[in-house]
Amino acid sequence: MGRSLDRRRFLQGSASAAAGVAIAGTLPAEAAAAGPGGRGRGPADLIIHNGEVLVLDERFRTADAVAIRDGVVVGVGRGKDMRRFAGRGTQTLDAGGGTVLPGINDSHLHLGGFGLDYPPFTIEVDTATIGELVEAVRTAAAGAASGAWIRGQGWNDNRLPRPPRRTDLDPVSGDHPVILTDFSGHAVAVNSAVLRLAGITRDTEPPTGGVIEKDADGEPTGVLRETAAGLVRRLVPPFTEDEVSSAIDNAVGVLHTLGITSVTDPGIGLDRLALYARKARSGGLGVRLNVLLSAGGSPDALRGVLAGYEPLRGVDPRMLRVAGVKIFGDGIPTAARTAWLHEPYLDGSNGSLTIDGDTVEEQVANLHEQIRIAHDAGLQVGTHATGDATIDAVVAGYLAAMRRNRRRRDPRHYVIHGDLTPRETLRKMARNGIGVNMNATIKYLLGRTLDPVLGPERTNYQWPYRSALDLGVQVSSASDAPVTFPSWLQGVQSAVLREGKFGGVAGEAERITLEEALATYTRTPGWQDHADRWKGTLRPGNVADVCIVDGDVLGVDPHELIDLPIAATVLGGRVVHDAKAGGSKNTIVNAAASGRRHDRSVACLQGGRCCCDLAV
């Protein structure tokens, strides 16, 4: 890769690859070459050839070569026709017969959280048993300085027999405060030292939308969910800016190895935005970053955020853009049972909104006011909403804001997660240009484990990809990393098969096609980002963000998608990952490859089954 192009050798090599590609759906070179600038502005800087190029436009056209100049696609078509772009200084990248796609857009990924979710910052507590989790904490405490905080990430009470409790952690933690965040980020488990520091007792009332779990004697167990987790999170010493910066760089390096070139980071603060801006100005960001500022839990909180926000200066908006705000609507419909539902969970409980307010009516009114404030400010709104009652309240708020202020055209507000969106609500969303951002990798992780929580019917429906697409909703897919490892191939596999990590099919009726699943990671996130005119497809004139898969994505058994390696990643015409260059020194890459981050790792999965000897 990266060699100077010998025109004759290139044309000879591409001729055999081009043979027989003139089939229905193949992109004619004449149409492809008509991008801005076309010919007459010098040769291409880079030509990617000898692959099956998926343009990922709405017609799902294919080609076998892409020409790039000045970071932009200038030609797509048959290899033999790419000679018009070849010159003495043109470089060539041989796709090796693999699949060439637009750069992947993970449209809901917590970039800093993903980087900080690995050693040396955080210990792994995604275990099959409480005993294994306790041993991980014991080992960390033994090696830590006196009084240092122990941070952990990944416990999953859909997998464990129960959440870890203070009575598990106290005997092995010594003088260390311990805080362990669950896989979803919606709950923490802490030891007694942390409860004392926070002043949490049997009499402590949780904040709105929060849960302080208690034992049979009425004492706190150490498990705090949703807003209640904030009672202890505010006590944890923050990572330094250098630590955060290093973690972000590591995370971006991992994204490159996965073919990911664009990310939406949802719910960040102004300090994180300032760090991103510094990296963008210095050319060190490394990924196209679309961000949503955290709206806080009330209208006043959002007003404060907007008062402190200053539009970015000296930053390429195609590398870093503030799209709008993220509102946090409710919890999650897992064993935590914190999503707000129209019909309660099987045990009779229900979740609630996490917006400030003394009554449901006040909470809904504050939610709608937050949406109105952001909409009137010209901002896009993405709202975390998983339960059907929350989703309905959010969509009603979007529609009210859009009808009240019609000067704000095409805002592209969207529902984040949208687990249990009712069909009638999907129709409203489609009619009014409201999108949804779903999570096929989380669907894979949960599978049928929620049958005892939601019941089989709702478990099958959760993340209704087929229903949403059939009704005309713009559907994007995302990993929600660090909730799951950002493997888009895992997500495509899950959306197509609906098979769970621990067995079973959860919602055969909601399966979608491979082509549709690929679009949810490329073209539709471009729509969500208000960037569909310049990224998300390999049309001429679009930015040259490219993912090359070493294998036949369209032809392989979907069970084997996860095994296909990423051969190369190109960002703005520049190769940022080349698998032929050798192994990675990146902590996260090596952690994933080792299988330590089992639920987040892609390397330990073969044919949808785990090759690691882990108890379930």
Side-chain angles (χ1 to χ4, degrees):
M1 295 185 180
R3 301 183 303 274
S4 294
L5 177 67
D6 178 274
R7 181 192 297 263
R8 179 176 299 173
R9 177 165 48 82
F10 167 68
L11 294 177
Q12 289 173 342
S14 62
S16 60
V21 300
I23 58 176
T26 300
L27 187 67
E30 291 76 17
R39 304 168 64 183
R41 290 181 56 187
D45 302 316
L46 176 68
I47 294 178
I48 302 170
H49 68 109
N50 190 25
E52 182 172 28
V53 179
L54 309 183
V55 179
L56 263 297
D57 58 1
E58 293 182 353
R59 293 169 58 189
F60 206 77
R61 292 180 293 177
T62 63
D64 58 76
V66 181
I68 296 166
R69 181 172 58 232
D70 296 330
V72 173
V73 175
V74 292
V76 183
R78 293 181 289 265
K80 66 180 182 180
D81 292 321
M82 289 297 101
R83 60 177 174 264
R84 71 185 66 189
F85 299 105
R88 182 178 296 274
T90 301
Q91 302 291 305
T92 174
L93 198 159
D94 187 348
T99 306
V100 181
L101 304 131
I104 303 302
N105 186 339
D106 194 321
S107 49
H108 188 91
L109 180 150
H110 304 276
L111 188 58
F114 178 49
L116 292 166
D117 193 28
Y118 289 85
F121 308 109
T122 307
I123 66 169
E124 166 59 47
V125 291
D126 178 16
T127 62
T129 68
I130 296 293
E132 291 170 318
L133 182 147
V134 168
E135 284 305 308
V137 174
R138 185 198 304 273
T139 300
S146 178
W149 281 74
I150 305 297
R151 299 176 175 95
Q153 176 81 22
W155 60 269
N156 185 345
D157 54 358
N158 298 293
R159 182 185 186 197
L160 293 169
R162 59 170 175 79
R165 300 168 181 159
R166 60 179 174 83
T167 51
D168 302 313
L169 305 177
D170 289 350
V172 299
S173 53
D175 65 346
H176 300 285
V178 176
I179 181 168
L180 310 177
T181 303
D182 83 320
F183 81 101
S184 72
H186 285 251
V188 297
V190 301
N191 63 355
S192 294
V194 176
L195 292 177
R196 287 192 296 269
L197 287 170
I200 296 174
T201 69
R202 64 185 298 135
D203 300 320
T204 302
E205 290 293 327
T208 302
V211 176
I212 299 175
E213 293 193 357
K214 296 181 180 179
D215 60 23
D217 297 325
E219 297 293 335
T221 65
V223 176
L224 310 171
R225 299 188 186 275
E226 306 303 343
T227 57
L231 299 174
V232 296
R233 281 179 172 147
R234 64 192 180 198
L235 303 174
V236 184
F239 292 108
T240 68
E241 184 171 296
D242 285 346
E243 288 173 328
V244 174
S245 179
S246 176
I248 289 169
D249 292 343
N250 276 343
V252 169
V254 175
L255 300 182
H256 289 166
T257 69
L258 299 171
I260 296 171
T261 55
S262 289
V263 163
T264 290
D265 193 343
I268 69 169
L270 296 177
D271 54 344
R272 183 62 54 81
L273 177 62
L275 175 58
Y276 287 154
R278 288 193 290 274
K279 285 182 175 291
R281 292 187 187 105
S282 68
L285 194 53
V287 68
R288 299 190 194 278
L289 195 53
N290 190 69
V291 303
L292 299 177
L293 300 176
S294 175
S298 69
D300 284 345
L302 175 55
R303 292 185 184 99
V305 170
L306 298 184
Y309 166 68
E310 296 183 1
L312 299 176
R313 300 180 184 278
V315 171
D316 180 354
R318 293 193 175 191
M319 288 303 297
L320 176 62
R321 170 179 176 265
V322 178
V325 299
K326 177 189 176 183
I327 297 174
F328 206 97
D330 67 350
I332 51 176
T334 65
R337 297 173 174 84
T338 51
W340 185 34
L341 308 178
H342 285 306
E343 297 293 332
Y345 298 95
L346 295 190
D347 67 357
S349 66
N350 206 340
S352 66
L353 291 174
T354 53
I355 306 296
D356 285 359
D358 293 331
T359 66
V360 172
E361 292 74 19
E362 287 184 12
Q363 289 181 295
V364 172
N366 283 335
L367 168 66
H368 289 184
E369 179 67 3
Q370 283 187 299
I371 292 171
R372 184 198 65 78
I373 292 168
H375 179 83
D376 287 352
L379 299 172
Q380 183 183 36
V381 183
T383 305
H384 170 109
T386 64
D388 50 4
T390 305
I391 295 165
D392 281 350
V394 168
V395 172
Y398 287 163
L399 293 177
M402 293 162 67
R403 290 165 182 160
R404 179 182 178 276
N405 183 352
R406 297 182 183 273
R407 292 174 297 175
R408 174 77 168 103
R409 297 183 181 275
D410 194 24
R412 302 188 188 181
H413 303 320
Y414 63 102
V415 174
I416 295 171
H417 307 309
D419 297 38
L420 298 169
T421 311
R423 287 185 62 86
E424 183 55 38
T425 307
L426 290 171
R427 289 189 181 93
K428 293 178 184 177
M429 293 164 65
R431 287 196 299 265
N432 293 279
I434 297 170
V436 63
N437 191 282
M438 294 187 180
N439 308 106
T441 49
I442 305 180
K443 184 63 179 176
Y444 165 76
L445 175 61
L446 295 176
R448 301 222 63 92
T449 62
L450 298 185
D451 282 349
V453 178
L454 292 169
E457 184 177 349
R458 285 186 290 190
T459 297
N460 282 333
Y461 186 72
Q462 188 182 25
W463 285 298
Y465 274 88
R466 179 77 275 146
S467 296
L469 289 173
D470 285 350
L471 291 169
V473 180
Q474 295 279 0
V475 181
S476 298
S477 290
S479 67
D480 199 11
V483 175
T484 64
F485 192 79
S487 168
W488 62 275
L489 284 166
Q490 179 87 86
V492 168
Q493 175 180 306
S494 175
V496 170
L497 298 175
R498 301 282 290 198
E499 293 180 357
K501 173 180 170 62
F502 303 118
V505 174
E508 185 175 351
E510 294 299 334
R511 287 172 169 168
I512 61 176
T513 69
L514 179 66
E515 292 83 357
E516 289 169 330
L518 292 172
T520 69
Y521 282 97
T522 52
R523 185 175 71 244
T524 318
W527 174 89
Q528 179 183 295
D529 292 351
H530 281 88
D532 43 326
R533 293 186 178 182
W534 59 269
K535 73 173 181 179
T537 65
L538 291 178
R539 294 188 181 106
N542 279 8
V543 293
D545 296 348
V546 183
C547 168
I548 302 177
V549 181
D550 188 6
D552 183 1
V553 169
L554 297 184
V556 73
D557 183 326
H559 293 90
E560 299 174 5
L561 280 169
I562 194 65
D563 297 321
L564 299 180
I566 305 301
T569 305
V570 177
L571 175 66
R574 183 171 64 92
V575 178
V576 294
H577 166 66
D578 178 355
K580 293 183 179 179
S584 174
K585 297 181 180 180
N586 187 290
T587 302
I588 305 176
V589 172
N590 293 329
S594 72
R596 285 204 309 271
R597 302 313 304 265
H598 178 72
D599 283 334
R600 302 178 178 93
S601 167
V602 298
C604 68
L605 297 169
Q606 293 184 343
R609 298 184 177 182
C610 180
C611 62
C612 303
D613 186 18
L614 293 179
V616 175

